[in-house]
Amino acid sequence: VVKLPRTLAVYALDLKRRGRDLSQRRNPTDRQKDRQTATTATLVGIRYSQGPDGRRDGSAQFYGRRNSYVEIPNTGRLDARYSITVLIWVFNEGRSGVILNYGRRRRGFQLRMISQRVLQVLIVRRTRRTTITVQTRGRVMKYRAWNYVGVTYDERSHAVTVWVNMKAVLTRRIGRVQLETSKVIRLGGLTSSRDYFRGRLFCLQLYSVALYRKQIDEAKKRCFLKGIICYQSSLLNYRLNAVQWVIKVNSSE
């Protein structure tokens, strides 16, 4: 059994959970009267589309416009100053675009697409506001398909690692950095830039430690609805059995 560390936040970004934090922290505060219905993320210009678990309304659809974004308040509970892990399902339908940024207007820790298949991570120092840019090489992302994306920074190894579909596609040592993760989180773009993300996003997970491969694999289906998956799996098996039966009958004739 692979244990996951305590999560900063988990946002499924689907119609059923909308903007609620699914972690035990129930961000932004623990004083909410109704934790089941309280919305902790603001979704603007978002519709719902098919997710990686097959549900018709299982992900948030972004339209690559200024008025299509998700904003998550950060009262300090989402601050990952020394180490961080960001996990998110990405279905890119555009070219470049900001997937996640700590900050509404200014750049903070950022994950973005710079082409249809290339990822870029911006590491912004908390004190000097200098930026370290890390980007993948080659076509690591599948275009117009679901990709399970992760970014980690470990304060002990001083290394940034980018994960795509459970494969470490990039590791780079950048030295000791205090991350700029103190601001509000924006998904889909900044107010000061026209580099908006077009596509779908599902299940944002944030940790204040650097997860290793088995932990990232364990968290892969954290936002999936088990009943839906079981139903679809049974339906698929039924269809496969029916096809096999037809082939068998035809071959016997």
Side-chain angles (χ1 to χ4, degrees):
V1 177
V2 178
K3 292 185 178 180
L4 291 174
R6 187 176 181 183
T7 319
L8 293 181
V10 178
Y11 296 93
L13 303 175
D14 59 5
L15 179 61
K16 183 176 178 63
R17 276 75 64 92
R18 295 182 184 268
R20 294 204 313 271
D21 175 19
L22 307 182
S23 72
Q24 294 181 352
R25 290 184 167 225
R26 297 294 193 269
N27 291 294
T29 69
D30 284 333
R31 299 176 183 177
Q32 297 163 346
K33 294 181 180 180
D34 189 351
R35 296 183 179 181
Q36 296 300 318
T37 60
T39 298
T40 57
T42 302
L43 289 76
V44 178
I46 298 296
R47 292 187 179 181
Y48 298 98
S49 187
Q50 188 176 35
D53 59 1
R55 287 181 294 133
R56 186 164 43 183
D57 52 7
S59 67
Q61 177 77 56
F62 295 75
Y63 290 95
R65 300 192 294 258
R66 180 179 59 86
N67 59 349
S68 181
Y69 64 89
V70 171
E71 188 166 292
I72 301 172
N74 184 6
T75 60
R77 287 167 159 260
L78 305 183
D79 194 358
R81 183 169 187 163
Y82 302 104
S83 295
I84 192 172
T85 295
V86 175
L87 301 176
I88 190 168
W89 284 88
V90 180
F91 190 108
N92 184 32
E93 297 177 291
R95 292 187 62 83
S96 63
V98 175
I99 297 172
L100 174 146
N101 186 75
Y102 269 89
R104 182 180 295 114
R105 180 176 178 83
R106 298 180 63 179
R107 290 180 176 179
F109 182 94
Q110 184 181 112
L111 172 65
R112 59 180 299 197
M113 302 294 307
I114 60 172
S115 72
Q116 293 179 348
R117 302 176 187 270
V118 179
L119 284 166
Q120 185 182 79
V121 180
L122 299 183
I123 307 295
V124 180
R125 295 180 184 271
R126 197 182 190 99
T127 52
R128 300 179 181 177
R129 298 292 304 178
T130 55
T131 301
I132 302 170
T133 302
V134 177
Q135 70 183 48
T136 59
R137 295 182 179 179
R139 298 181 175 184
V140 299
M141 294 279 286
K142 297 177 182 178
Y143 185 59
R144 291 184 175 173
W146 281 110
N147 300 266
Y148 181 47
V149 176
V151 180
T152 65
Y153 171 73
D154 190 350
E155 65 172 331
R156 292 175 295 180
S157 65
H158 305 164
V160 176
T161 303
V162 179
W163 302 80
V164 177
N165 299 323
M166 297 307 307
K167 181 180 179 181
V169 297
L170 171 70
T171 299
R172 176 180 166 187
R173 296 185 184 277
I174 61 172
R176 180 169 294 176
V177 177
Q178 292 188 26
L179 305 170
E180 178 49 275
T181 55
S182 61
K183 308 299 182 182
V184 63
I185 294 177
R186 292 265 301 200
L187 305 179
L190 284 70
T191 60
S192 59
S193 171
R194 294 184 178 181
D195 202 9
Y196 307 116
F197 175 76
R198 183 171 177 266
R200 306 177 225 164
L201 299 177
F202 174 72
C203 197
L204 170 65
Q205 301 181 57
L206 301 170
Y207 300 82
S208 58
V209 295
L211 271 60
Y212 55 88
R213 188 185 184 281
K214 289 185 177 180
Q215 289 177 319
I216 295 174
D217 186 35
E218 181 69 19
K220 185 176 182 179
K221 296 183 179 180
R222 185 163 185 178
C223 299
F224 284 32
L225 294 180
K226 296 181 180 179
I228 299 295
I229 297 301
C230 292
Y231 168 76
Q232 291 178 342
S233 179
S234 299
L235 183 60
L236 178 60
N237 289 332
Y238 171 78
R239 289 176 175 174
L240 288 175
N241 290 333
V243 170
Q244 291 172 354
W245 181 81
V246 171
I247 294 175
K248 184 177 180 181
V249 170
N250 292 335
S251 61
S252 62
E253 292 177 351

